[in-house]
Amino acid sequence: MIPLPQVSQVAQTIQLALAPVFLLAGIGAFLNVCVSRLARIIDRARVVEELVLSTRGKEHDRMVAEIRVLDRRMSVVNASIFLSVASACAVCLVVILLFAGNLLNAHLGTPVAILFSLAMLLQAAAFATFIQEIRLASRTIHIRNEVLYHKVEAEEDSVAA
C-alpha cells in the first residue's frame, strides 16, 4: 500500500508548483495577445479578399500583395500559438510530476528539470516567432504617398485662386 503524504508535504508541493502555475498565467496572457492579433489579421484578410475580387490594375496588385502578407502573418502567429500551447502543456506536466513525485515518493527531479527547460525553450521560440510576426506587420504596413499628400479638390481650388 502506498503511504499517504502528510498535509505538510502536500503544502510544500503546492508551494513548489506555484511558480509553474504563475508561468501558466503568463503564457495564457501571451496567448490572449496572439489570438487577438490573429483575429485582427483574419478580419483584415476578409476585407482585402473582397477587394482583390473587385479591383483592377495597380490597386489589384497591391491588394494581392497585401493578402499574401496577411496569409504569411496568419501562419507565423499560428506557429507562435502552437509553441505557446506546447509550452503550457509542458508546464502542466511539470506540475503533475511534482505532485506524482510527492504522492509516490519518487525521485522525479530530472524529468521535472528537463520538462521545465523544454517549456522555457518552447516559450522562447514562441516569443521569437511573435517578434517575426510583428516585424512582418510593421514592414508591410505603410501609408502610400498618394494618401499622405492627398488634398481635397476644394482646398486645391481655393489655394489656386
Side-chain angles (χ1 to χ4, degrees), residues 137-158:
S138 63
R139 264 190 308 191
T140 57
I141 297 174
H142 61 278
I143 301 171
R144 295 174 293 155
N145 284 337
E146 60 263 21
V147 173
L148 281 176
Y149 300 107
H150 178 74
K151 293 183 181 180
V152 179
E153 289 180 24
E155 289 179 6
E156 290 174 1
D157 292 341
S158 66

mmCIF file of all heavy atoms in Angstrom, residues 137-158:
data_model
loop_
_atom_site.group_PDB
_atom_site.id
_atom_site.type_symbol
_atom_site.label_atom_id
_atom_site.label_comp_id
_atom_site.label_asym_id
_atom_site.label_seq_id
_atom_site.Cartn_x
_atom_site.Cartn_y
_atom_site.Cartn_z
ATOM 1 N N ALA A 137 4.553 42.541 -39.863
ATOM 2 C CA ALA A 137 3.446 43.506 -39.888
ATOM 3 C C ALA A 137 3.962 44.926 -40.039
ATOM 4 O O ALA A 137 3.437 45.702 -40.842
ATOM 5 C CB ALA A 137 2.624 43.381 -38.614
ATOM 6 N N SER A 138 4.994 45.276 -39.299
ATOM 7 C CA SER A 138 5.487 46.661 -39.346
ATOM 8 C C SER A 138 6.196 46.979 -40.660
ATOM 9 O O SER A 138 6.205 48.122 -41.092
ATOM 10 C CB SER A 138 6.404 46.948 -38.156
ATOM 11 O OG SER A 138 7.549 46.142 -38.204
ATOM 12 N N ARG A 139 6.771 45.985 -41.299
ATOM 13 C CA ARG A 139 7.411 46.209 -42.599
ATOM 14 C C ARG A 139 6.396 46.444 -43.698
ATOM 15 O O ARG A 139 6.672 47.148 -44.668
ATOM 16 C CB ARG A 139 8.268 45.003 -42.989
ATOM 17 C CG ARG A 139 9.716 45.139 -42.636
ATOM 18 C CD ARG A 139 10.477 44.030 -43.282
ATOM 19 N NE ARG A 139 9.803 42.758 -42.919
ATOM 20 C CZ ARG A 139 10.299 41.571 -43.136
ATOM 21 N NH1 ARG A 139 11.444 41.440 -43.721
ATOM 22 N NH2 ARG A 139 9.652 40.489 -42.774
ATOM 23 N N THR A 140 5.248 45.825 -43.563
ATOM 24 C CA THR A 140 4.275 45.891 -44.655
ATOM 25 C C THR A 140 3.218 46.960 -44.458
ATOM 26 O O THR A 140 2.518 47.296 -45.401
ATOM 27 C CB THR A 140 3.572 44.534 -44.828
ATOM 28 O OG1 THR A 140 2.964 44.169 -43.594
ATOM 29 C CG2 THR A 140 4.560 43.470 -45.255
ATOM 30 N N ILE A 141 3.099 47.458 -43.260
ATOM 31 C CA ILE A 141 2.099 48.497 -43.009
ATOM 32 C C ILE A 141 2.744 49.848 -43.239
ATOM 33 O O ILE A 141 3.644 50.257 -42.504
ATOM 34 C CB ILE A 141 1.547 48.402 -41.573
ATOM 35 C CG1 ILE A 141 0.832 47.081 -41.386
ATOM 36 C CG2 ILE A 141 0.623 49.570 -41.276
ATOM 37 C CD1 ILE A 141 0.379 46.818 -39.989
ATOM 38 N N HIS A 142 2.289 50.498 -44.266
ATOM 39 C CA HIS A 142 2.743 51.850 -44.552
ATOM 40 C C HIS A 142 1.633 52.579 -45.293
ATOM 41 O O HIS A 142 0.776 51.969 -45.912
ATOM 42 C CB HIS A 142 4.044 51.843 -45.363
ATOM 43 C CG HIS A 142 3.910 51.163 -46.689
ATOM 44 N ND1 HIS A 142 3.976 49.797 -46.820
ATOM 45 C CD2 HIS A 142 3.681 51.660 -47.929
ATOM 46 C CE1 HIS A 142 3.807 49.479 -48.103
ATOM 47 N NE2 HIS A 142 3.615 50.588 -48.792
ATOM 48 N N ILE A 143 1.672 53.873 -45.194
ATOM 49 C CA ILE A 143 0.656 54.686 -45.858
ATOM 50 C C ILE A 143 1.251 55.186 -47.160
ATOM 51 O O ILE A 143 2.341 55.754 -47.184
ATOM 52 C CB ILE A 143 0.221 55.848 -44.956
ATOM 53 C CG1 ILE A 143 -0.341 55.281 -43.651
ATOM 54 C CG2 ILE A 143 -0.807 56.726 -45.665
ATOM 55 C CD1 ILE A 143 -0.608 56.302 -42.585
ATOM 56 N N ARG A 144 0.519 54.947 -48.235
ATOM 57 C CA ARG A 144 1.010 55.335 -49.558
ATOM 58 C C ARG A 144 1.106 56.850 -49.679
ATOM 59 O O ARG A 144 0.326 57.584 -49.078
ATOM 60 C CB ARG A 144 0.091 54.783 -50.646
ATOM 61 C CG ARG A 144 0.097 53.270 -50.695
ATOM 62 C CD ARG A 144 -0.908 52.737 -51.668
ATOM 63 N NE ARG A 144 -2.251 53.052 -51.170
ATOM 64 C CZ ARG A 144 -3.321 53.162 -51.935
ATOM 65 N NH1 ARG A 144 -3.233 52.995 -53.231
ATOM 66 N NH2 ARG A 144 -4.499 53.444 -51.412
ATOM 67 N N ASN A 145 2.052 57.325 -50.481
ATOM 68 C CA ASN A 145 2.264 58.758 -50.667
ATOM 69 C C ASN A 145 1.028 59.461 -51.222
ATOM 70 O O ASN A 145 0.716 60.580 -50.829
ATOM 71 C CB ASN A 145 3.465 59.018 -51.582
ATOM 72 C CG ASN A 145 4.765 58.797 -50.860
ATOM 73 O OD1 ASN A 145 4.823 58.861 -49.634
ATOM 74 N ND2 ASN A 145 5.823 58.535 -51.608
ATOM 75 N N GLU A 146 0.304 58.801 -52.138
ATOM 76 C CA GLU A 146 -0.876 59.452 -52.706
ATOM 77 C C GLU A 146 -1.955 59.685 -51.651
ATOM 78 O O GLU A 146 -2.771 60.584 -51.778
ATOM 79 C CB GLU A 146 -1.444 58.695 -53.909
ATOM 80 C CG GLU A 146 -1.878 57.282 -53.624
ATOM 81 C CD GLU A 146 -0.845 56.224 -53.972
ATOM 82 O OE1 GLU A 146 0.354 56.545 -54.067
ATOM 83 O OE2 GLU A 146 -1.239 55.065 -54.139
ATOM 84 N N VAL A 147 -1.936 58.909 -50.576
ATOM 85 C CA VAL A 147 -2.874 59.139 -49.487
ATOM 86 C C VAL A 147 -2.317 60.191 -48.533
ATOM 87 O O VAL A 147 -3.038 61.084 -48.088
ATOM 88 C CB VAL A 147 -3.175 57.820 -48.731
ATOM 89 C CG1 VAL A 147 -4.020 58.062 -47.504
ATOM 90 C CG2 VAL A 147 -3.831 56.821 -49.666
ATOM 91 N N LEU A 148 -1.022 60.098 -48.243
ATOM 92 C CA LEU A 148 -0.399 61.054 -47.324
ATOM 93 C C LEU A 148 -0.483 62.492 -47.836
ATOM 94 O O LEU A 148 -0.681 63.421 -47.065
ATOM 95 C CB LEU A 148 1.074 60.697 -47.094
ATOM 96 C CG LEU A 148 1.352 59.573 -46.121
ATOM 97 C CD1 LEU A 148 2.845 59.270 -46.088
ATOM 98 C CD2 LEU A 148 0.869 59.921 -44.726
ATOM 99 N N TYR A 149 -0.290 62.658 -49.119
ATOM 100 C CA TYR A 149 -0.229 64.006 -49.690
ATOM 101 C C TYR A 149 -1.471 64.355 -50.499
ATOM 102 O O TYR A 149 -1.457 65.265 -51.309
ATOM 103 C CB TYR A 149 1.032 64.151 -50.543
ATOM 104 C CG TYR A 149 2.268 63.916 -49.714
ATOM 105 C CD1 TYR A 149 3.015 62.753 -49.858
ATOM 106 C CD2 TYR A 149 2.658 64.825 -48.748
ATOM 107 C CE1 TYR A 149 4.132 62.521 -49.081
ATOM 108 C CE2 TYR A 149 3.770 64.601 -47.956
ATOM 109 C CZ TYR A 149 4.512 63.456 -48.130
ATOM 110 O OH TYR A 149 5.605 63.227 -47.352
ATOM 111 N N HIS A 150 -2.560 63.647 -50.259
ATOM 112 C CA HIS A 150 -3.815 63.895 -50.958
ATOM 113 C C HIS A 150 -4.466 65.167 -50.421
ATOM 114 O O HIS A 150 -4.537 65.393 -49.228
ATOM 115 C CB HIS A 150 -4.768 62.713 -50.774
ATOM 116 C CG HIS A 150 -6.102 62.918 -51.417
ATOM 117 N ND1 HIS A 150 -6.284 62.846 -52.767
ATOM 118 C CD2 HIS A 150 -7.306 63.218 -50.888
ATOM 119 C CE1 HIS A 150 -7.548 63.083 -53.052
ATOM 120 N NE2 HIS A 150 -8.185 63.309 -51.918
ATOM 121 N N LYS A 151 -4.924 65.998 -51.328
ATOM 122 C CA LYS A 151 -5.629 67.220 -50.944
ATOM 123 C C LYS A 151 -7.038 67.150 -51.496
ATOM 124 O O LYS A 151 -7.265 66.630 -52.580
ATOM 125 C CB LYS A 151 -4.922 68.444 -51.506
ATOM 126 C CG LYS A 151 -3.562 68.680 -50.902
ATOM 127 C CD LYS A 151 -2.948 69.940 -51.437
ATOM 128 C CE LYS A 151 -1.577 70.149 -50.825
ATOM 129 N NZ LYS A 151 -0.960 71.364 -51.333
ATOM 130 N N VAL A 152 -7.944 67.714 -50.776
ATOM 131 C CA VAL A 152 -9.319 67.784 -51.228
ATOM 132 C C VAL A 152 -9.403 68.812 -52.354
ATOM 133 O O VAL A 152 -8.731 69.853 -52.326
ATOM 134 C CB VAL A 152 -10.248 68.187 -50.059
ATOM 135 C CG1 VAL A 152 -11.693 68.305 -50.503
ATOM 136 C CG2 VAL A 152 -10.119 67.194 -48.926
ATOM 137 N N GLU A 153 -10.214 68.538 -53.356
ATOM 138 C CA GLU A 153 -10.317 69.412 -54.524
ATOM 139 C C GLU A 153 -10.700 70.833 -54.138
ATOM 140 O O GLU A 153 -10.190 71.791 -54.709
ATOM 141 C CB GLU A 153 -11.317 68.857 -55.532
ATOM 142 C CG GLU A 153 -10.819 67.620 -56.234
ATOM 143 C CD GLU A 153 -11.825 67.075 -57.240
ATOM 144 O OE1 GLU A 153 -12.663 67.849 -57.714
ATOM 145 O OE2 GLU A 153 -11.759 65.876 -57.507
ATOM 146 N N ALA A 154 -11.580 71.012 -53.177
ATOM 147 C CA ALA A 154 -11.999 72.346 -52.766
ATOM 148 C C ALA A 154 -10.823 73.127 -52.212
ATOM 149 O O ALA A 154 -10.683 74.323 -52.462
ATOM 150 C CB ALA A 154 -13.108 72.258 -51.725
ATOM 151 N N GLU A 155 -9.949 72.452 -51.463
ATOM 152 C CA GLU A 155 -8.766 73.109 -50.935
ATOM 153 C C GLU A 155 -7.832 73.512 -52.068
ATOM 154 O O GLU A 155 -7.268 74.608 -52.050
ATOM 155 C CB GLU A 155 -8.011 72.191 -49.965
ATOM 156 C CG GLU A 155 -8.709 71.972 -48.648
ATOM 157 C CD GLU A 155 -7.923 71.031 -47.754
ATOM 158 O OE1 GLU A 155 -6.789 70.644 -48.111
ATOM 159 O OE2 GLU A 155 -8.462 70.654 -46.712
ATOM 160 N N GLU A 156 -7.688 72.646 -53.056
ATOM 161 C CA GLU A 156 -6.812 72.935 -54.190
ATOM 162 C C GLU A 156 -7.349 74.142 -54.986
ATOM 163 O O GLU A 156 -6.584 74.991 -55.418
ATOM 164 C CB GLU A 156 -6.699 71.713 -55.102
ATOM 165 C CG GLU A 156 -5.918 70.575 -54.476
ATOM 166 C CD GLU A 156 -5.919 69.321 -55.317
ATOM 167 O OE1 GLU A 156 -6.519 69.323 -56.418
ATOM 168 O OE2 GLU A 156 -5.313 68.330 -54.890
ATOM 169 N N ASP A 157 -8.660 74.219 -55.170
ATOM 170 C CA ASP A 157 -9.250 75.338 -55.892
ATOM 171 C C ASP A 157 -9.059 76.657 -55.150
ATOM 172 O O ASP A 157 -8.748 77.680 -55.734
ATOM 173 C CB ASP A 157 -10.748 75.091 -56.136
ATOM 174 C CG ASP A 157 -10.967 73.949 -57.112
ATOM 175 O OD1 ASP A 157 -10.010 73.590 -57.859
ATOM 176 O OD2 ASP A 157 -12.088 73.386 -57.126
ATOM 177 N N SER A 158 -9.237 76.655 -53.823
ATOM 178 C CA SER A 158 -9.086 77.881 -53.053
ATOM 179 C C SER A 158 -7.619 78.307 -52.994
ATOM 180 O O SER A 158 -7.321 79.494 -52.936
ATOM 181 C CB SER A 158 -9.655 77.704 -51.650
ATOM 182 O OG SER A 158 -8.904 76.765 -50.922
#
